[in-house]
Amino acid sequence: MPEYDESKNRMTLKLVYYGPALSGKTSNLTRLHDLLRPELKGEMMMLDTKNDRTLFFDMLPVGLKAPSGLLIKIKLYTVPGQVAHDSTRKAVLSRADGVVFVADSQLNQRLNNAESFENLADNANKVGLDFEKMPLVIQFNKRDLPQIETEQAINERWLQTGWPILFASAISGAGVLETFVVLLDRVYEIIDKEYALADQHQLSKQNFISGMTGAA
Amino acid sequence: MTTPETSHMLEPYDREYDLADVLKAAGIERLQQIFSQVIGDHYCIQSVAGEVLMGKAENCAKRAAIYMDMEICGYLCVAAGVNDTLMAALENILKMIVAAQHQYLMISSLHIEAIHADYAALKDRNEKLQESEERYRKLCTELDQRVQEQIAEIEQRQQQLYKAERLASIGHMAAGIAHEINNPMGFILSNLQTASRYVENLKAFSVLMCQPSSIEAARVYWIEQQVAADIEDFPELLRENIQGAERVKSIVSSLMDFSGFNLEESEVCNLDALLRKAADMACAGVDRKIDVQYTLQAAVNVQCNRSNLIRAFFNVLRNAVQAIHDSGEIRIALSVCDAGVSLEITDNGCGMNAQTLEHAFDPFFTTRAVGQGVGLGLTAAREIIQSHGGTILLKSQTGQGTQVSIRLPVTARENS
């Protein structure tokens, strides 16, 4: 559920990058920080340890102002991927309006991906999110590495789930923006139904996406 | 350990913060000190709504917006005379403070949120554990109670069965004893009838002898009626009767021993005597030729329950007797060993096969025809021997007879 402050004419959405440890969630955010040209962009908040492991979360705020004057902020979060940080992960996930699941394409990471995905479903239910209905995009990252699963194998396994499957290489930036756009598309559908973005705020889906990303 | 407050809702870590929040987190007094060292009182910091958070309100000649999460959260204002470089430096410092404190506030709130969630989960798990522990404890108590009830019931039934077995043994013995008593009673009665006839004869003779006229007749009577032979026979007759009566008395005494009418308490008994008594009872009424041989060390005394131990020996010896079909022998050997007393009862009867031997001590296991035994004889014997701290073992082969080895401590006591 977005946080909507009518008096301040402000809506805040929360999107969470979830996934196993070292699958590239923070890389996705730093790439987006470089790639996005939104109307409004804040400073990225990063808190990692010496060995590049996220301890609490990373956060990147972007935003736009709808023609109606409504300020829409999107805060992109990453969760800590390490198994031990489950309660932090759960707290970061709570109140999310959309999720990108960042999977590691390497062949030896299949089990970690599956466990993390189960953990996502589990925690989503625990924090009161409707896992079946919430906007969810699955990104298979690290396509630039050798020893990875083929796209065909991944599609065979995942496409039938109905969630959009995207391939990315966050280190080079490939697929990162595309993933974000697909999630924005889904999130817009849901927010529009409840807050009438198009009718009341004159904000079309296309303008929503382009305003948040800077893409034409 | 302190209990986190759960009564009021925690503010979510990802809420929107305002400038007052972050300045408060940094410590407004400390900030004011630093700012006054740098710029004196020629500044103020206002919230986006115009509220003065630090400094003096009148210093509003120039202002710079401070952003947090892309939005203006407040302003740094300075007096007219402050130069732009100093203002820019202060602005940068303030931005750094806001960014750092914003991050700090989010992370500390997140941490508290996670800890509360952990604590709640732990508490929940603890409650469930306590519930399940309580359930198990209850179950345990119930089980224990049920076991006690079952034990009590089993014990009661066992006692009933032993009573039944005792009665059955008595019944079995009663038949034998009736026979034994009937036999001497038969000849005692017959002897007494003969004796009455002798007395009649003597009476008639004495009547003749009392009148001088019939002396001759008395002499003829003496010869013809063989009165002299009657008188000669009379003491033998009485001796036989006394013997018969003694036998009856001995049987009755055995019966009383077995029934436990005598002493239930523990006492010092001579094993020799107990064995002989048990053997006598076991052989009573048996018409087969059974040779009982004793090899007994004199005066082996044990502390025991007399009637119970007789019953145990009787049960073993009765089996030996019943194993002998036509004729045979039973050897009873009693010796002193390290652990106490060793007793071997050996028969050369029909013996048992391995299967029968395996079940010989099982309650209700019997090879006897229906009505001939309930199969508690050896069970009871073992129970009694064990209650005296002893052991009982069987060795047997079909056609080769059976050996029963009993060990009793010399200080054997009835434990039960």
Side-chain angles (χ1 to χ4, degrees):
Chain A
M1 281 294 284
E3 193 186 321
Y4 179 52
D5 189 335
E6 206 170 357
S7 64
K8 288 180 176 154
N9 202 22
R10 178 178 66 196
M11 178 187 289
T12 307
L13 304 174
K14 179 178 186 178
L15 304 181
V16 175
Y17 280 66
Y18 209 95
L22 297 173
S23 68
K25 300 174 290 294
T26 301
S27 294
N28 261 274
L29 240 61
T30 51
R31 282 300 128 226
L32 283 174
H33 182 254
D34 301 340
L35 291 168
L36 295 181
R37 297 282 177 268
E39 285 181 31
L40 300 163
K41 182 159 77 171
E43 284 307 305
M44 182 162 167
M45 211 182 257
M46 264 176 85
L47 200 104
D48 49 27
T49 54
K50 279 179 188 163
N51 48 2
D52 277 353
R53 313 294 285 266
T54 302
L55 199 54
F56 290 99
F57 59 85
D58 306 311
M59 196 268 278
L60 172 65
V62 293
L64 59 75
K65 216 160 205 158
S68 67
L70 175 71
L71 171 68
I72 303 179
K73 287 201 217 175
I74 292 183
K75 291 184 179 174
L76 298 165
Y77 286 83
T78 62
V79 297
Q82 285 171 281
V83 176
H85 295 159
D86 196 49
S87 49
T88 308
R89 192 160 42 243
K90 207 157 43 182
V92 173
L93 181 65
S94 37
R95 303 174 287 276
D97 297 294
V99 172
V100 174
F101 181 77
V102 182
D104 190 326
S105 296
Q106 294 179 92
L107 286 166
N108 59 8
Q109 294 298 309
R110 273 183 62 171
L111 186 65
N112 286 342
N113 291 335
E115 279 175 357
S116 177
F117 194 77
E118 248 176 65
N119 176 256
L120 167 62
D122 199 31
N123 280 342
N125 287 327
K126 278 184 190 157
V127 301
L129 297 173
D130 187 343
F131 183 67
E132 298 299 324
K133 285 182 186 159
M134 73 174 186
L136 172 64
V137 176
I138 293 161
Q139 179 196 76
F140 273 83
N141 192 20
K142 304 198 185 179
R143 300 309 297 168
D144 51 298
L145 292 184
Q147 306 287 321
I148 53 171
E149 282 200 85
T150 64
E151 291 195 10
Q152 194 195 349
I154 290 168
N155 281 331
E156 273 172 14
R157 231 183 25 259
W158 286 88
L159 270 183
Q160 57 185 347
T161 61
W163 287 301
I165 309 298
L166 284 106
F167 295 92
S169 174
I171 208 99
S172 70
V176 169
L177 189 58
E178 289 80 350
T179 306
F180 183 48
V181 167
V182 172
L183 183 63
L184 287 179
D185 186 297
R186 302 224 144 189
V187 169
Y188 179 90
E189 296 282 338
I190 290 187
I191 308 299
D192 185 41
K193 263 181 209 153
E194 196 166 341
Y195 295 94
L197 291 183
D199 292 347
Q200 301 230 338
H201 301 282
Q202 300 85 46
L203 182 67
S204 68
K205 188 196 278 181
Q206 199 189 351
N207 289 340
F208 175 73
I209 292 172
S210 64
M212 287 297 178
T213 61
Chain B
M1 191 176 151
T2 52
T3 311
E5 283 186 32
T6 47
S7 54
H8 71 92
M9 278 291 287
L10 281 171
E11 282 198 278
Y13 73 96
D14 50 1
R15 67 185 183 272
E16 297 290 343
Y17 297 86
D18 60 28
L19 188 58
D21 291 333
V22 295
L23 292 182
K24 204 173 131 199
I28 286 190
E29 273 184 31
R30 197 162 56 106
L31 280 178
Q32 275 172 334
Q33 265 179 12
I34 294 166
F35 268 69
S36 70
Q37 277 168 2
V38 176
I39 195 176
D41 57 358
H42 308 301
Y43 80 101
C44 80
I45 295 173
Q46 294 178 358
S47 74
V48 71
E51 184 193 352
V52 175
L53 301 170
M54 276 169 59
K56 286 189 170 169
E58 63 266 30
N59 299 322
C60 257
K62 290 185 274 185
R63 70 173 197 180
I66 307 297
Y67 286 83
M68 189 161 53
D69 269 354
M70 305 170 293
E71 276 184 282
I72 294 172
C73 64
Y75 301 96
L76 170 68
C77 311
V78 293
V82 176
N83 78 46
D84 290 349
T85 320
L86 179 58
M87 185 185 173
L90 284 176
E91 186 191 337
N92 283 334
I93 289 171
L94 193 57
K95 277 180 182 168
M96 273 181 67
I97 289 168
V98 167
Q101 291 306 319
H102 182 203
Q103 184 166 345
Y104 163 76
L105 278 175
M106 281 187 79
I107 287 169
S108 58
S109 301
L110 171 72
H111 192 56
I112 289 168
E113 205 173 310
I115 281 173
H116 276 227
D118 277 352
Y119 181 78
L122 215 65
K123 220 166 92 174
D124 192 46
R125 211 179 313 163
N126 188 41
E127 270 167 23
K128 277 181 185 144
L129 261 172
Q130 274 178 344
E131 257 173 49
S132 101
E133 195 191 323
E134 187 57 36
R135 259 203 320 275
Y136 278 116
R137 197 173 309 168
K138 217 170 135 190
L139 196 73
C140 210
T141 317
E142 276 176 19
L143 270 177
D144 195 50
Q145 197 184 334
R146 245 185 283 170
V147 166
Q148 294 303 331
E149 283 170 12
Q150 296 275 322
I151 287 173
E153 197 183 324
I154 288 168
E155 275 173 357
Q156 196 196 348
R157 286 200 185 164
Q158 232 167 19
Q159 292 208 332
Q160 284 172 349
L161 286 170
Y162 283 148
K163 262 183 208 164
E165 163 66 359
R166 211 176 164 107
L167 284 173
S169 302
I170 291 166
H172 174 83
M173 278 194 40
I177 285 160
H179 179 82
E180 277 297 284
I181 291 175
N182 213 25
N183 201 16
M185 288 314 279
F187 67 76
I188 287 170
L189 206 61
S190 152
N191 282 356
L192 287 175
Q193 279 163 356
T194 310
S196 327
R197 219 171 50 240
Y198 290 172
V199 172
E200 289 296 323
N201 253 2
L202 278 173
K203 203 174 152 190
F205 173 70
S206 70
V207 169
L208 290 174
M209 279 292 283
C210 285
Q211 291 174 2
S213 58
S214 58
I215 292 281
E216 182 53 26
R219 200 184 59 84
V220 172
Y221 190 89
W222 179 270
I223 292 161
E224 283 182 354
Q225 296 301 320
Q226 300 178 334
V227 178
D230 285 1
I231 292 171
E232 187 140 330
D233 195 31
F234 212 99
E236 176 67 14
L237 211 96
L238 288 177
R239 199 182 53 77
E240 272 184 20
N241 275 14
I242 288 167
Q243 266 184 356
E246 290 285 358
R247 252 174 86 186
V248 171
K249 190 182 162 199
S250 142
I251 289 164
V252 169
S253 158
S254 300
L255 182 63
M256 286 173 78
D257 272 342
F258 182 80
S259 313
F261 291 148
N262 283 355
L263 291 163
E264 281 292 340
E265 298 302 316
S266 172
E267 59 184 304
V268 175
C269 299
N270 185 291
L271 272 187
D272 186 349
L274 300 191
L275 278 164
R276 284 181 194 274
K277 195 154 262 175
D280 285 349
M281 290 191 293
C283 294
V286 176
D287 50 8
R288 286 154 292 174
K289 188 182 175 313
I290 291 170
D291 183 11
V292 181
Q293 295 185 357
Y294 297 93
T295 317
L296 303 176
Q297 288 192 0
V300 180
N301 293 321
V302 294
Q303 182 84 27
C304 65
N305 181 304
R306 182 183 161 84
S307 64
N308 278 354
L309 211 53
I310 289 177
R311 188 170 154 219
F313 293 155
F314 169 78
N315 286 351
V316 171
L317 285 162
R318 186 184 52 187
N319 282 350
V321 168
Q322 285 175 336
I324 295 165
H325 294 315
D326 299 318
S327 67
E329 64 168 28
I330 296 172
R331 278 178 286 134
I332 301 173
L334 178 64
S335 59
V336 175
C337 64
D338 287 347
V341 181
S342 168
L343 172 63
E344 309 285 343
I345 298 173
T346 314
D347 69 70
N348 62 354
C350 62
M352 287 179 269
N353 62 28
Q355 202 194 350
T356 306
L357 189 61
E358 192 186 330
H359 296 289
F361 287 110
D362 292 357
F364 305 112
F365 179 82
T366 181
T367 55
R368 318 239 183 280
V370 175
Q372 295 295 302
V374 291
L376 279 171
L378 279 178
T379 316
R382 184 172 61 175
E383 189 77 11
I384 291 163
I385 297 297
Q386 284 176 347
S387 75
H388 283 80
T391 57
I392 177 167
L393 290 171
L394 291 182
K395 261 189 253 172
S396 186
Q397 263 187 327
T398 310
Q400 301 287 309
T402 300
Q403 185 182 41
V404 182
S405 307
I406 294 169
R407 301 270 182 284
L408 282 171
V410 176
T411 53
R413 281 173 194 285
E414 174 94 11
N415 300 320
S416 59

